[in-house]
Amino acid sequence: MLASFLHAWNGLIHTVVHQRNMRVHLVSALLVGLVGSGIELGLAEKVTLIFCVLLIFFAEILNSALEHLVDLATRHFDEKARLTKDAAAAGVLVLATGTVVIFAAILVHNWQTVLDSGPQIARQVVLGLPLALCVLVLVLPRPRSVWIDRLAVVAGALLLAALAPRTASSVFTAMNAGLLVVAGAAARQRRLERERRR
């Protein structure tokens, strides 16, 4: 059971390290989590947003797996291989577009709550944007010193700790903590892969 979990975890981290779109989805998920933890939403809205985030992650991971499988089966250019990859990417695009529409609909439906949440939104912006920047630093594929990654993880954890006491949803706060862990693990994996190539 533990080995299965570790293989799945490695697959998630590999996708974050090697797929640009997965890194975009990860940072976007963090921003959704900041909105969800800053504004009082109903249970249906919370479940919908979390499900959308998880569905996009699932689709991107499946798309990555399918791309690797097609590359393994086809050593040269093949039109059917291209169409297969394009169709899988289109599935992710449809889900991502749908998630943006659902997110906008939830905000519009709860617009009065948004308007009444001025101080909470200000707190989320002041503490949440630096948190998003920490995650962005961790997932960017540029070479950097290990201390920058460690600083980003520690700063992100401190920002999460500052956000947590006044959260509107501990589930979204926990989701953001999980995303920070994934980003930190991806930065570590990327560094290990670079060291192996030397």
Side-chain angles (χ1 to χ4, degrees), residues 7-189:
H7 290 307
W9 175 257
N10 290 337
L12 171 62
I13 301 307
H14 180 273
T15 306
V16 173
V17 169
H18 295 283
Q19 295 294 326
R20 183 197 62 204
N21 290 343
M22 187 63 168
R23 295 189 292 271
V24 171
H25 296 317
L26 193 137
V27 174
S28 299
L30 183 86
L31 295 174
V32 168
L34 287 168
V35 171
S37 63
I39 299 171
E40 290 287 342
L41 296 173
L43 179 62
E45 288 98 345
K46 291 176 185 177
V47 169
T48 301
L49 287 176
I50 291 169
F51 185 71
C52 285
V53 166
L54 294 175
L55 199 57
I56 288 174
F57 280 14
F58 170 76
E60 189 63 51
I61 292 166
L62 196 61
N63 179 43
S64 178
L66 187 60
E67 284 181 1
H68 288 301
L69 187 61
V70 168
D71 290 343
L72 185 65
T74 309
R75 300 251 186 253
H76 53 83
F77 177 80
D78 186 308
E79 183 64 16
K80 289 182 181 178
R82 185 190 64 79
L83 291 172
T84 301
K85 289 182 174 185
D86 288 352
V92 178
L93 177 64
V94 167
L95 283 173
T97 303
T99 296
V100 170
V101 170
I102 289 168
F103 184 70
I106 288 172
L107 288 181
V108 169
H109 179 71
N110 293 283
W111 192 245
Q112 192 56 50
T113 303
V114 172
L115 292 176
D116 295 339
S117 303
Q120 295 92 327
I121 292 172
R123 184 186 71 243
Q124 295 302 99
V125 169
V126 168
L127 298 173
L129 289 181
L131 173 60
L133 183 62
C134 290
V135 169
L136 183 62
V137 165
L138 290 168
V139 298
L140 281 177
R142 298 195 176 140
R144 60 189 166 268
S145 175
V146 66
W147 69 266
I148 293 175
D149 287 345
R150 289 179 180 159
L151 181 62
V153 169
V154 170
L158 291 173
L159 290 163
L160 270 171
L163 284 165
R166 294 189 187 146
T167 186
S169 170
S170 56
V171 173
F172 280 107
T173 300
M175 181 180 89
N176 283 344
L179 294 171
L180 179 63
V181 169
V182 168
R188 180 179 179 275
Q189 181 62 34

